[in-house]
């Protein structure tokens, strides 16, 4: 059987200490692709390290023209230049460019290249809510633009995480859900909807810093209780917790018909509105 070896010091000193085999088998390849790209494409350009040119900060309001970093609930990260002043109750992260030779449009154009995006996202953390550690951005060198040479202007780029076992599992569940829903097998669709939101909630709580050993063996109802406690102490004010509770009731009707025999009503297409709102919220 083939083996792969990395020096522990290299792993320990990299951005985001990670001992998983899945990460370390591929990280050198991603780094090599990035270095080959920047050395070949920008061989005649002077460079500056990311941390010397850009500072990542958080504010509650951003002026027009700011380069904003936004984590989305579908696992994607959006980098975009604000078209107007924006404010939020939740702190907004932005890339503050302190080197006058680099514009927000140029930085987005550089970050939009596949080799750069793949390298950054390999260090990403989280599944439902994905983020890139500041230390990862600081691994980059930014080539200075050549004077007088125009570039395609970028105002938005999307960074997508690599596939994970949870995303693959949710995708499989969701495909079966759609097949059963469109075939009017609503009882089975309700059970699958429960499995999907339970997986989403498990991953959301894990991404939020709750250890997996606390979450393991927890049913959907217990996960909802933990989420309700967690949300009391954070600034997420639009989380669809009531929709999770609605899906839990729907799933229980499907799984425990004897318990609900006295008040049982046949499940129909009108019972899935809460689930569809969760799907829209997380961008499944």
């Amino acid at each position: 059987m083939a083996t792969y070896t990395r020096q522990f010091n290299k792993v320990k000193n990299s951005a985001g200490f990670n001992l998983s085999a899945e990460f370390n088998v591929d990280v050198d390849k991603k780094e090599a692709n990035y270095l080959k790209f920047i050395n070949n494409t920008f061989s005649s350009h002077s460079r500056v390290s990311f941390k010397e040119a850009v500072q990542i900060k958080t504010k509650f309001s951003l002026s027009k023209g700011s380069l904003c970093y936004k984590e989305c609930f579908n696992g994607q990260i959006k980098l975009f230049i604000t078209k107007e002043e924006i404010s939020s109750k939740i702190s907004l992260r932005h890339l503050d460019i302190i080197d006058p030779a680099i514009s927000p449009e140029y930085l987005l154009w550089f970050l939009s290249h596949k080799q750069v995006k793949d390298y950054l996202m390999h260090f990403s953390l989280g599944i439902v809510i994905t983020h890139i550690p500041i230390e990862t951005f600081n691994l980059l060198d930014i080539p200075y633009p050549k004077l007088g040479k125009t570039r395609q202007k970028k105002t938005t780029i999307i960074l997508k995480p690599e596939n994970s076992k949870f995303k693959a599992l949710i995708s499989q569940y969701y495909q079966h859900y759609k097949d059963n829903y469109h075939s009017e097998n609503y009882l089975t669709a309700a059970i699958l909807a429960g499995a999907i939101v339970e997986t989403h909630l498990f991953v959301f709580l894990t991404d939020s810093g709750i250890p997996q050993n606390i979450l393991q063996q927890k049913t959907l109802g217990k996960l909802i209780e933990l989420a309700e406690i967690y949300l009391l102490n954070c600034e997420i004010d639009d989380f669809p917790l009531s929709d999770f509770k609605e899906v839990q009731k729907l799933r229980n009707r499907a799984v425990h018909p004897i318990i609900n025999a006295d008040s049982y009503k046949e499940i129909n297409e009108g019972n899935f509105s809460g689930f569809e709102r969760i799907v829209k919220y997380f961008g499944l």
Side-chain angles (χ1 to χ4, degrees), residues 11-69:
V11 177
K12 188 173 182 295
N13 294 326
S14 66
F17 180 53
N18 193 328
L19 287 175
S20 72
E22 182 182 7
F23 174 87
N24 285 288
V25 163
D26 210 29
V27 64
D28 284 344
K29 180 180 178 181
K30 292 290 196 307
E31 184 179 47
N33 288 341
Y34 159 72
L35 291 173
K36 180 179 179 181
F37 161 73
I38 195 171
N39 288 334
N40 290 348
T41 306
F42 301 98
S43 59
S44 60
H45 292 239
S46 300
R47 302 179 193 173
V48 61
S49 66
F50 187 95
K51 63 182 177 181
E52 292 178 351
V54 183
Q55 295 179 351
I56 299 180
K57 299 180 178 179
T58 56
K59 292 182 178 180
F60 290 97
S61 63
L62 296 177
S63 60
K64 179 181 178 181
S66 299
L67 181 46
C68 187
Y69 169 110

Side-chain angles (χ1 to χ4, degrees), residues 178-189:
K178 290 193 296 182
D179 291 343
N180 280 278
Y181 182 86
H182 292 310
S183 300
E184 300 184 3
N185 297 323
Y186 297 126
L187 195 69
T188 304

